[in-house]
């Protein structure tokens, strides 16, 4: 069925914090909640206030922040937990209970007892004027007749939303679409959420299929973080909804900023090949690809990078053809004849050990081919210390790692003070050092640099040398 309504339910502060190694402070949670609200996320799951005092404090602060988004507290299906969740002043409580036979056995609950527990918890929440979502944990693996029964009882008790998680990510798009089509007919009176885990890499596809099957809410996290392999990523599904269905659910031009914020606060680095926000998402390397993209970007781009505030990048390597090389050289202000361009391309393809050609490399090759000095003479071998300042919403370690991979870089330190990173660089020429500096400046999240040229290098005497001086 056509998708007519989509609500993003962001659970970065709950599911996302369950990522191994992630632990947001109260202030960081508040910052993330404000950011989510700022881009237009409709529902924010702020956490389970029964987990710890700091989670309780964060949920309560977020609920009282005056955000436009609906604030949700997650909790188990018992009155005590629901009561504490309600005391946070949230708009909604999300009451969860495992509904598979295995889960019920592990809790020593019969089906009747499980239904009774859910009904009692929901009725208590509703009696205090709070909206309720019932989460049937592991719903896609539950026995279907019991799933329908407990969902109907939840709706009758007052739940107006039902979340059906694919808890271990074993569904496929066609199966989950059929699943939501079926249950939305068998359980009336509530809207359905999908919560798709990414264990088999299908979270985004399954979420879209669930929406096509009748779900109206999709649970997401920024950068797809969460338990194990994470869940549906906010940025990927937001762009997919726009590109494939013409539905714009958030401010797409703010996705890179939001991704960088959560990358920094979570410590989970976004992979270069990640859709939408990955460093390589709009990079083109293959010769045929580049030629086609330069002619018409839609040939190899599902959507223009400008949609999310980004730019495309043409990468020059042994895979490059003359179109890519010509485009890059012209961007540097260098015009070559067809014969000269052919020689430059052949020179590039002859070096199998070079992964990527920098601008300085291309200029040097062009100089050799043309016999014309395209740049002024520069002194040989220069060293410098570069101080790098990062934007406040960026994970510093991810930038430090990228800088460390550059061949001119000798040492990298994350430091305190006005600058965040200190880099020691050694390059054959000032031109090469400047090229390295420009690449550092071009890294996403770098806001400024300050360069000190090394005039003289002194090393401390080794212990044996000190002893020699003493005895001489």
């Amino acid at each position: 069925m056509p998708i007519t309504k989509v609500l993003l339910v962001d659970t970065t502060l709950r599911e996302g914090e369950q990522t191994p190694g992630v632990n947001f402070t109260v202030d960081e949670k508040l910052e993330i909640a404000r950011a989510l609200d700022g881009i237009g996320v409709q529902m924010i799951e702020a956490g389970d206030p029964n987990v710890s005092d700091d989670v309780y404090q964060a949920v309560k602060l977020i609920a009282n922040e005056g955000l436009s988004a609906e604030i949700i507290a997650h909790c188990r299906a018992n009155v005590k937990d629901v009561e504490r969740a309600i005391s946070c002043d949230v708009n909604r409580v999300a009451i969860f209970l495992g509904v598979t036979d295995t889960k019920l056995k592990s809790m020593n609950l019969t089906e009747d007892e499980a239904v009774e527990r859910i009904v009692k918890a929901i009725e208590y929440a509703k009696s205090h004027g709070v909206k309720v979502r019932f989460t049937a944990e592991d719903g896609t693996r539950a026995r279907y007749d019991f799933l329908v029964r407990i969902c109907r009882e939840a709706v009758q008790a007052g739940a107006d939303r039902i979340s059906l998680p694919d808890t271990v990510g074993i569904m496929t798009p066609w199966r989950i679409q059929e699943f939501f089509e079926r249950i939305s007919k068998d359980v009336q009176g509530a809207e359905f959420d999908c919560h798709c885990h990414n264990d088999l890499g299908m979270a985004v596809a399954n979420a879209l299929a669930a929406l096509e099957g009748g779900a109206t809410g999709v649970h997401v996290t920024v950068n797809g973080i969460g338990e194990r392999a994470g869940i549906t990523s906010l940025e990927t599904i937001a762009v997919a909804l726009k590109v494939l269905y013409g539905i714009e659910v958030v401010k797409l031009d703010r996705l890179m900023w939001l991704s960088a914020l959560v990358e920094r606060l979570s410590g989970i680095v976004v992979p270069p090949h990640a859709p939408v926000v990955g460093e390589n998402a709009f990079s083109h390397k293959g010769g045929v690809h580049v030629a086609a993209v330069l002619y018409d970007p839609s040939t190899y781009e599902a959507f223009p990078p400008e949609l999310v505030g980004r730019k495309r990048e043409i990468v020059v390597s042994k895979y490059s053809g003359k179109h890519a090389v010509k485009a890059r050289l012209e961007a540097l202000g260098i015009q070559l004849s067809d014969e000269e361009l052919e020689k430059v391309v052949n020179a590039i393809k002859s070096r199998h050990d070079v992964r990527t050609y920098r601008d300085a490399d291309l200029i040097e090759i062009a100089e050799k081919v043309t016999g014309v000095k395209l740049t002024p003479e520069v002194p040989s071998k220069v060293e410098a210390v570069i101080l790098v300042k990062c934007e406040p919403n960026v994970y510093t370690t991810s930038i430090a790692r990228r800088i460390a991979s550059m061949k001119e870089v000798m040492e990298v330190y994350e430091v305190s003070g006005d600058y965040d990173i200190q880099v020691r660089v050694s390059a054959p020429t000032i031109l090469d050092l400047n090229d390295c500096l420009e690449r550092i400046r071009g890294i996403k999240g770098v806001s400024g640099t300050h360069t000190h040229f090394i005039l003289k290098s002194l090393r401390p005497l080794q212990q044996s040398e000190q002893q020699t001086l003493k005895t001489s």
Side-chain angles (χ1 to χ4, degrees), residues 117-333:
R117 180 176 292 192
I118 281 295
V119 168
K120 189 175 180 180
I122 293 173
E123 288 180 342
Y124 181 85
K126 291 297 293 182
S127 70
H128 286 74
V130 179
K131 291 183 284 188
V132 178
R133 183 188 84 210
F134 167 52
T135 295
E137 187 184 22
D138 213 1
T140 59
R141 293 197 297 177
R143 201 174 68 253
Y144 187 74
D145 60 340
F146 175 66
L147 179 64
V148 169
R149 177 192 170 192
I150 198 168
C151 287
R152 284 176 176 171
E153 294 282 1
V155 173
Q156 189 172 344
D160 67 337
R161 300 199 71 86
I162 304 290
S163 173
L164 300 173
D166 182 24
T167 299
V168 295
I170 47 80
M171 293 296 273
T172 57
W174 48 93
R175 285 173 58 213
I176 203 166
Q177 179 178 351
E178 182 184 62
F179 174 76
F180 274 92
E181 286 175 346
R182 184 182 179 191
I183 199 160
S184 60
K185 292 176 181 176
D186 291 338
V187 179
Q188 300 290 319
E191 293 187 26
F192 288 89
D193 292 356
C194 61
H195 182 106
C196 300
H197 276 264
N198 202 39
D199 296 73
L200 296 176
M202 292 188 286
V204 172
N206 283 342
L208 291 172
L211 291 170
E212 290 189 349
T216 59
V218 53
H219 294 197
V220 299
T221 58
V222 180
N223 298 333
I225 62 176
E227 291 275 5
R228 305 182 310 281
I231 68 167
T232 307
S233 69
L234 183 157
E235 56 279 1
T236 306
I237 197 165
V239 173
L241 285 166
K242 175 65 175 178
V243 173
L244 302 178
Y245 302 92
I247 300 172
E248 190 161 334
V249 288
V250 293
K251 297 174 183 176
L252 301 178
D253 61 348
R254 298 291 284 166
L255 290 176
M256 288 297 297
W257 167 76
L258 178 64
S259 171
L261 171 68
V262 173
E263 179 183 56
R264 174 174 65 87
L265 297 181
S266 68
I268 305 299
V269 179
V270 175
H273 61 279
V276 181
V277 294
E279 180 185 344
N280 297 341
F282 299 98
S283 297
H284 301 276
K285 179 178 177 180
V288 173
H289 284 233
V290 170
V293 164
L294 290 172
Y295 176 75
D296 181 354
S298 66
T299 308
Y300 285 107
E301 289 178 352
F303 59 95
E306 293 78 13
L307 181 68
V308 291
R310 298 194 62 180
K311 296 180 180 179
R312 87 179 43 84
E313 180 184 0
I314 303 301
V315 178
V316 176
S317 71
K318 67 181 181 182
Y319 286 92
S320 301
K322 63 181 181 180
H323 293 88
V325 177
K326 181 180 180 182
R328 191 65 212 141
L329 287 172
E330 288 181 350
L332 296 170

Side-chain angles (χ1 to χ4, degrees), residues 357-361 406 408 429-441:
Y357 283 86
R358 305 165 301 149
D359 290 347
D361 300 323
M406 297 179 182
E408 301 91 349
T429 67
I430 290 178
L431 180 65
D432 290 310
L433 188 143
N434 185 64
D435 181 72
C436 177
L437 179 60
E438 289 303 317
R439 278 182 282 127
I440 291 173
R441 288 174 175 168

Side-chain angles (χ1 to χ4, degrees), residues 30 58 91 112 121 214 224 260 347 373 395 427 438:
L30 193 56
N91 306 110
D112 290 342
K373 195 67 180 175
Y395 182 44
E438 289 303 317

